[in-house]
Each structure stands twice: as structure tokens, then as C-alpha cells.
Amino acid sequence: MSDLLAHLNPPQLQAVTLPPVHALILAGAGSGKTRVLTTRIAWLISTSQVSPHGVLAVTFTNKAAKEMTARLAALIPVNTRGMWIGTFHGLCNRLLRAHHREANLPATFQILDSADQLGAIKRLLKNLNVDDEKFPPRELMNFINSHKEEGVRAAQAQAFDTWAQRRVELYAEYERQCQREGVVDFAELLLRCHELLLRNEPLRQHYQERFRHILVDEFQDTNRLQYAWLKLLAGGGAKFFAVGDDDQSIYAFRGADVGNMRDFEGEFAGPNVIRLEQNYRSHGNILAAANAIIKNNRGRLGKNLWTDAGEGEPIRVFEAYSDLDEARFVVEEVRELARDGVARNQIALLYRSNAQSRVLEHELFGRGVPYRVYGGLRFFERQEVKHALAYLRLIGNPEDDTAFLRVVNFPTRGIGARSLENLQATAHQLNSSLYNAAASLTGKAGTAVGAFIRLIETLRQETGGLRLPEMVEHVLEKSGILQHYRTEKEGQERLENLDELINAAATFIDDEGVVMAEEAGESGALVAFLTHASLESGEHQAGEGDEAVQLMTVHSAKGLEFDVVFITGLEQGLFPHENAVLEGHTGLEEERRLMYVAVTRARQRLYLAWAQTRMLHGQTRYAVPSSFLDEFPQELLLRLNRPAPVSTGSGRVYYAAAPEPEGGLRIGQSVHHAKFGLGVIVSAEGRGADARVQINFGAAGMKWLVLEYAKLDPA
DNA sequence: TGGGAGTGCTTTTTT
DNA sequence: AGCACTCCCA
């Protein structure tokens, strides 16, 4: 018990040992928020204020949930297996599985990941003969998801013109299609669960009485629906403990609403707001820089990080001639650091957008520095794995048209677009799934389709008594997937991944077997595994070895920390991103929070780099340094000497001379425009009447202006 | 059926 | 530039 609370600083201790009240913990970067959250749970349980059964702990990522579970198990002897610790989606799934009838879902309902969802929407548009120029699938998907995240069903959605009405109809059609197929997308998982609790009073009461303490991590990232869901569950007197940092809210673009924090303060926490401001991660200069940056945002809940670690090193700034030059510099520094004994996995190269990783990777590769890139394809998202899962899904639920279409002709078995069109027409007539339509046609229509149906039926029978791993293996072999990749040139890696899928199934049974047997029964193993695959798409695919430099976007760096951090591409239009600047004040503030997150990742040393020219979308852009660079206190900065431009043996120079625009202007010059105000010329193109210049007007954004018409005065 | 050419897009991303 | 996607031909 005293062990439990040892080494907590006073605010941490206060937060952990708060009596049963609602509370908001404003936890700055590196202030030990996960520690506070887990210790709070451990303290509540070990002081018998709540049973493990009465705790609901919610996170955003599976990784965070796992970490919390592991830490809790290390703190107190408790069986975390049966506890409700998980992600919003995972917990909603659990609730919906347990009460699928009340939620009007089949026991075997499957979860669509984003790619599946997009596919389902494309298919819907095709079936309804909708012009996808007028209704781009991606846009429709965003429309549907954002409505669901606001808790708005198609029936309640507003539409003021015929186009918007049509869009709402398509939303409704999509809902019908999912319902018919027994599939549920990510947003639906939450919305359906919320509706279930809202409408079903006995169930609601049951859970409201059960959960006495609700604890939420990364509260600043919740959307409206998630907050509503939490409030509903807390409605029976549970104590609501939210931990978050409004300054690290960087997911507004996907529906997160920082306003939830302010609302929560008003509706729940009241006076119980505790600030964790002591930072245990970074040296003083880094923290001072972070504080100075974030200070420029308005409407913050307010927080000032401090440390007793000492000032540490100055922040190094490097101005490169080009993106290549920047990469060269970064990699050279990395090599030097590694020589000086810094572990490579303690060095992070951060960038605003993924496209920027290419130059860095190229340079790292060229110099033989091991590196690891985060982001990209994950295990359960790989095509061969998705194919295999589609067979399994079809065995578990023949109504799943998404799965059907994915593998009906994979490996190719002579079922072309024509037979599929017929099949879809039949399915439409019968108002049934493609699978059932195909089954009813078997005999008269194409034998190929019939053979496919027989294949699935056979697989279902043959695998009926098998354990999950054997089942997967059997399906891989008999479906022809393995054979297909064995003959393919580039199939080796895919075969390995399919092997890995069998292992994943075995591991899954070992890890989850007990829980599953309780919740789903023996036959539920397949469904549970498929759910696992959708909900937890697997580790990011990344290079092996922990002695590798870490490359990632600033977004994916949230929650991580490194001894040395390089923030690259600090150019206006890139970071802050042009699109964000165009969104105005809100957009710029989110970019600033992103900058804050980036800076606070560093423990000992921070580099800031920018390049005068950069290849972007196949064109060289002439850049202006990021406005954020001016927001750093200049006395904290150490400007590194720029090495003379270097030309390689091949004669290639690492920086390019900017083409000068006409009219006595030059790149980098400040000009004044009657409407947009003060700006800096960023690039130029064309001659004579075509001559245009690109000008960065700061808040007014980036503009291309034709010299002949634009009235520009040197400023 | 599969590949090659042509077209268009391009911020961030978890579940 | 690079990638995903579509379309058309052998």
C-alpha cells in the first residue's frame, strides 16, 4: 500500500487518492499520467473502495489498454482478465456481443475496418447506379462516419437540397446494407452500443450499477458520441475520472472534440481539477521552448510544465539548402550521435507528413544506418491476410457480401464481371445476400459460381470440428490461396505472412481461450478471432532490430519519448500545414499543438531543421521558414553553421538556385498586396503574360498570383 | 484475365 | 515524383 503510493509527487498523490468524486486530471506531457491512472485503479481496489468488477477503464489504442493492464497487474495481485479495461471500440464490441439480440445484431456480426467500409460503400453506389463523380465514395464515407460520431442516424440527418437529400438516402441505404449483411463499421460499434444502453432501461441500469468507477485516458481525444456513451454509463452514480491534456489534442480532424474537456469540467469535475505540471522527461530548455510555443494558443485550460532536471543543451537549428541537404545533415548528426554512444532507437526523426520520409530513408539507407519507419501497412491489412480472413468470414457468416466479393474469384476461378452482375441482380430480386443468391442459382447458372459455393460449404463442414489454427491452415490450403502464392514470383513474403496468420490464430487461442469460452462458447472462437483481426489490426510493419533510428509522423510520436529528436521540414505550408492554415485560427492552433507534441518528445537534445527548397508533388518548392521557428525563444536556440554547398562527384549540387520572377522581384522578398496584406514570395513560374508568383501571406494562406494583374508593392 | 497505359490525387490516423 | 485506380487490348 505504501509501496503503491511511494515515489508519487504531491499532485500525483492527490489525484491517486482522491475520494470517490468526479475529477479531471490535466496531465502535461511527460508528467506521469498513465502512472496516475493505473495507480488510482490499484489504490481504489486495494483499499476495497471498489471491486475489480466495478471498474471501467477506457483508452484509445490497444497498446495503451495493454500497457495499463500490464502495469496494473504489476502493482496489485488482481486478475485483470475479467476486468473491463479496453478501447472504446473493444468495450462496445464486448457489450454488443453479450447483448446482440437486444442490439438487433446476429451473434456472428463482423466488424468492417475502414478499407472494408469503403469497399462496401463503393459496392452500394454501384448497385444503385449512383454516379460516383457526384458522390465520391470517400466523401460519402466521411459524411456517414461524422454523422454517426455525432450520434445522428440517417433518419435524423438534415438535408436542404436535393443533392444533400440524396446523400442522406445513401446513408440510409448503407445502413440497410450493413444490417442485411450483419456487419458493423467502427463508428457503428459505438453508436449501436450507445443506442442499446439508451433504449434498453434494464440493461442500462445493470451497467450503471455495475460500474462504480469510470476512468478515461487521453480524454482530449474523445468525440461527442464517446463522451455521451461515458456519461450514460456514469449515470448511475459512478465516479468519472478523466485524464487528458488539451494541449495535446491533435485529432480534431477526425472528430475529437477538446470541448469535451471544458464540458466535463462544468458537468462533472467542478472543483476537482488537478494539474500535473512537473515533467520528468525533458531538460529545461526543451520544456521552456514547448511552453513558449503553446502559450500562443488561446482558450487553453492552462498549464505550465516545469522540471528540476536543469537547463540542458540549447536547441539546435539547421537551415538546409534543400530537402536532400537537410537529410544529409540529419543523417550525419545521427551517425555522430551513434558514434558517441547514443542508442539509435533513442533517436527519432519526426516529420509532418509521410511523404517526407522518403528522402530521409534514402539517405539513411545510402549511409547504412539501420532505421525503422512507423506507419504503413499492418499485419491484418495485408491483402493476402485479408483474402484468407474473407474465406473465414464467409464460413462464419455467408451473408457477408464484402467477404464474398473479395474471394469469389480469388484465386481466379473464371467468375468474371458478367456472372457477378447476374448474381447481383438475382440477389437484388431475392433481397438476399450474394451467397444465397448464388446457392439458389446453382445448377442452372454458371458452374463456376456453383463450384465456389460448394467449396465454401465443404470448407465449413470439414473445419467444423477443428481447432482454430488447424481450421485456418485447412482453409488456406483448400481454398487455393497457398497454391496461388506459391506460383507467384513475389509470393514468398506473402506465404510467410499466411504462415504467421496460423501462428496468430494459435496465439490468440492461448491468450484469449479462457475469456472466450466464458463469453462466446466453443463455436465462438472463429468469430472472436475475426473480431480481433478487425479491432486490432496488428503491429505496424517496421524494420527489425531495436538498434534502429525511429522515423515517424509527429502524430504517431504522441505518447513516445526519445533522448534525441529531430523535427524536420519546418517550413511554412508544410508545418504548419497549408491546409490547416487555410482553416484559419483553429487549424493553426491544432498545428501548434502538434508542434508542442513534437517538442515534448525529446528528453535531452532537440534539433529543428528546415530546407529552403523541397521537392513536393514532383515540383521544387521554395520555402519560407515555419512561423513556429519565430515562436521559439531565440536565446534557447543554437544556430548551426551552414556548411558550404556541396556538389557530389556526379556534379549534383545539394541546393538549387531559385528561378527569379520578373518585374524586379526575387524569391524570398517581402511584398504587400492590397487584399491579402504582407507576404513573402515563395516561388515563381512562367514568362511575360503568364508570369506568376506564389506568395505566402501567412494567415491569408498561400496564393498564386499573375504578375500582370496582381498589384504588388515591395514591402 | 492480366498487364500496360493513362489519369488524378497528394495532412495528420485509430478503431 | 509516386501511387492507386480505371480502362482497354491481346
Side-chain angles (χ1 to χ4, degrees):
Chain A
M1 178 50 196
S2 53
D3 278 0
L4 198 59
L5 303 178
H7 311 300
L8 292 175
N9 67 31
Q12 287 176 335
L13 183 68
Q14 192 198 350
V16 166
T17 59
L18 232 34
V21 290
H22 303 305
L24 175 63
I25 312 303
L26 282 176
S31 66
K33 78 179 161 58
T34 311
R35 183 161 183 219
V36 164
L37 200 55
T38 41
T39 316
R40 168 80 174 165
I41 299 174
W43 182 77
L44 287 169
I45 293 174
S46 64
T47 52
S48 302
Q49 300 186 66
V50 69
S51 84
H53 184 79
V55 173
L56 177 69
V58 195
T59 64
F60 272 86
T61 65
N62 291 301
K63 197 176 157 206
K66 267 187 209 143
E67 188 180 334
M68 195 182 291
T69 310
R71 286 217 206 176
L72 187 61
L75 286 173
I76 52 169
V78 59
N79 179 14
T80 52
R81 265 255 160 81
M83 289 184 69
W84 283 61
I85 300 176
T87 63
F88 280 100
H89 294 85
L91 295 167
C92 285
N93 170 63
R94 197 162 167 181
L95 262 147
L96 291 175
R97 296 273 168 207
H99 309 288
H100 67 267
R101 256 182 227 98
E102 294 87 334
N104 190 23
L105 286 170
T108 57
F109 76 83
Q110 275 308 302
I111 298 163
L112 301 182
D113 65 21
S114 315
D116 292 335
Q117 187 187 16
L118 188 62
I121 288 173
K122 284 183 180 166
R123 178 158 46 84
L124 179 84
L125 296 181
K126 203 160 206 176
N127 286 342
L128 296 176
N129 271 320
V130 176
D131 181 2
D132 59 7
E133 303 261 297
K134 239 172 147 182
F135 296 94
R138 216 165 265 285
E139 199 265 344
L140 187 59
M141 179 163 99
N142 289 338
F143 172 79
I144 292 173
N145 288 342
S146 55
H147 275 71
K148 288 188 178 184
E149 281 161 11
E150 291 287 325
V152 180
R153 287 284 180 198
Q156 301 113 357
Q158 305 260 9
F160 298 107
D161 58 51
T162 50
W163 179 79
Q165 271 159 18
R166 184 71 180 128
R167 193 163 67 161
V168 171
E169 278 167 34
L170 292 171
Y171 177 11
E173 288 289 349
Y174 171 75
E175 285 182 326
R176 272 194 284 282
Q177 174 177 294
C178 290
Q179 186 64 32
R180 184 167 52 67
E181 297 176 13
V183 295
V184 159
D185 60 49
F186 287 137
E188 182 72 26
L189 224 37
L190 292 163
L191 181 53
R192 192 66 78 102
C193 188
H194 182 251
E195 288 170 347
L196 172 69
L197 293 170
L198 200 62
R199 290 178 193 157
N200 191 317
E201 189 166 352
L203 265 183
R204 180 171 71 242
Q205 278 182 358
H206 170 80
Y207 286 103
Q208 284 180 337
E209 279 160 31
R210 170 179 177 161
F211 298 124
R212 305 320 302 156
H213 285 272
I214 297 177
L215 304 96
V216 190
D217 193 15
E218 305 274 20
F219 191 68
Q220 77 280 357
D221 288 336
T222 52
N223 61 35
R224 296 308 291 180
L225 180 59
Q226 285 160 339
Y227 185 35
W229 182 81
L230 290 165
K231 282 204 277 195
L232 199 55
L233 281 168
K239 298 309 171 205
F240 195 156
F241 188 90
V243 181
D245 181 359
D246 53 324
D247 292 333
Q248 290 189 70
S249 160
I250 54 173
Y251 286 111
F253 72 92
R254 64 172 195 220
D257 187 347
V258 214
N260 285 345
M261 289 191 84
R262 198 168 280 283
D263 290 354
F264 178 77
E265 189 179 354
E267 294 171 45
F268 287 87
N272 300 316
V273 178
I274 294 176
R275 287 178 165 72
L276 305 182
E277 297 177 303
Q278 182 173 4
N279 173 294
Y280 295 94
R281 181 184 294 158
S282 311
H283 278 148
N285 285 342
I286 293 171
L287 232 42
N291 283 334
I293 294 277
I294 201 67
K295 201 181 65 209
N296 295 321
N297 271 5
R298 296 162 166 257
R300 297 169 58 217
L301 294 174
K303 218 171 356 61
N304 220 16
L305 291 180
W306 61 276
T307 178
D308 55 18
E311 283 183 1
E313 304 178 15
I315 291 159
R316 292 165 163 78
V317 183
F318 183 75
E319 175 180 348
Y321 295 104
S322 66
D323 47 353
L324 214 64
D325 188 29
E326 180 190 63
R328 232 171 32 92
F329 165 76
V330 168
V331 173
E332 209 33 65
E333 289 290 311
V334 165
R335 298 180 79 212
E336 203 155 300
L337 286 161
R339 267 200 299 277
D340 292 346
V342 179
R344 274 190 292 266
N345 62 1
Q346 278 307 319
I347 302 175
L349 312 188
L350 307 185
Y351 34 80
R352 175 64 238 263
S353 65
N354 282 305
Q356 289 167 249
S357 76
R358 185 177 304 278
V359 217
L360 292 166
E361 284 184 69
H362 184 83
E363 195 61 27
L364 286 162
F365 186 81
R367 310 235 61 184
V369 182
Y371 64 92
R372 185 180 169 180
V373 188
Y374 283 72
L377 258 200
R378 306 198 302 172
F379 182 71
F380 287 111
E381 291 168 358
R382 316 183 72 83
Q383 68 144 336
E384 63 275 20
V385 174
K386 290 218 107 181
H387 283 320
L389 292 174
Y391 274 100
L392 294 166
R393 272 163 64 168
L394 221 40
I395 290 170
N397 172 19
E399 311 291 311
D400 191 335
D401 284 358
T402 301
F404 183 94
L405 286 170
R406 179 172 270 277
V407 290
V408 64
N409 199 32
F410 183 91
T412 48
R413 41 176 76 89
I415 301 174
R418 227 172 339 105
S419 6
L420 278 182
E421 253 167 54
N422 291 336
L423 201 53
Q424 306 221 344
T426 312
H428 195 70
Q429 274 170 22
L430 300 174
N431 191 28
S432 79
S433 63
L434 293 169
Y435 188 92
N436 283 335
S440 74
L441 281 180
T442 306
K444 54 175 183 172
T447 50
V449 174
F452 177 68
I453 297 296
R454 280 194 296 282
L455 170 67
I456 300 295
E457 292 297 334
T458 312
L459 286 175
R460 185 177 300 122
Q461 281 160 23
E462 288 173 347
T463 57
L466 297 181
R467 290 181 66 248
L468 187 61
E470 284 82 50
M471 178 176 190
V472 175
E473 194 169 2
H474 187 89
V475 168
L476 287 178
E477 190 58 64
K478 291 295 170 70
S479 63
I481 293 185
L482 286 183
Q483 192 49 45
H484 176 266
Y485 288 120
R486 279 188 197 119
T487 54
E488 197 178 66
K489 296 187 290 292
E490 310 285 319
Q492 194 48 43
E493 195 187 335
R494 299 198 191 275
L495 286 171
E496 285 166 18
N497 286 325
L498 290 172
D499 240 6
E500 195 49 44
L501 183 65
I502 302 174
N503 291 336
T507 314
F508 178 74
I509 292 296
D510 290 346
D511 289 356
E512 312 282 334
V514 187
V515 179
M516 228 164 46
E518 284 168 12
E519 288 186 7
E522 275 305 311
S523 63
L526 175 60
V527 171
F529 180 61
L530 292 172
T531 301
H532 168 79
S534 305
L535 243 35
E536 197 167 338
S537 29
E539 286 287 301
H540 273 298
Q541 189 70 18
E544 286 305 305
D546 46 6
E547 263 301 87
V549 178
Q550 314 280 301
L551 273 71
M552 65 194 84
T553 62
V554 179
H555 280 91
S556 30
K558 196 176 92 170
L560 305 177
E561 55 182 271
F562 306 91
D563 287 343
V564 181
V565 168
F566 291 81
I567 307 175
T568 65
L570 281 170
E571 292 130 44
Q572 201 62 9
L574 194 58
F575 195 1
H577 197 278
E578 195 172 336
N579 298 357
V581 176
L582 288 175
E583 282 164 29
H585 156 84
T586 339
L588 186 64
E589 294 215 334
E590 178 141 325
E591 294 291 302
R592 192 175 281 117
R593 289 192 293 269
L594 207 46
M595 189 69 211
Y596 176 77
V597 167
V599 169
T600 52
R601 297 311 96 194
R603 280 195 280 253
Q604 291 156 23
R605 186 183 284 197
L606 177 65
Y607 288 88
L608 310 171
W610 72 279
Q612 293 170 355
T613 67
R614 182 177 297 275
M615 280 294 269
L616 212 62
H617 310 324
Q619 281 182 324
T620 306
R621 284 242 307 227
Y622 300 88
V624 168
S626 168
S627 55
F628 293 152
L629 279 170
D630 300 330
E631 297 183 17
F632 283 91
Q634 300 301 303
E635 67 275 13
L636 299 180
L637 305 183
L638 172 65
R639 307 235 172 219
L640 299 177
N641 289 336
R642 174 204 290 173
V646 175
S647 66
T648 61
S650 63
R652 177 150 190 199
V653 179
Y654 278 103
Y655 63 94
E660 293 295 313
E662 295 184 342
L665 300 168
R666 53 184 177 72
I667 304 287
Q669 180 177 354
S670 299
V671 290
H672 190 269
H673 183 272
K675 185 165 162 219
F676 303 125
L678 196 63
V680 179
I681 299 182
V682 167
S683 67
E685 63 176 36
R687 290 278 146 212
D690 294 331
R692 306 192 304 152
V693 285
Q694 190 181 29
I695 303 179
N696 182 351
F697 285 106
M702 203 72 97
K703 305 258 189 277
W704 276 103
L705 300 177
V706 178
L707 274 182
E708 203 173 341
Y709 304 115
K711 289 202 192 71
L712 296 173
D713 303 313

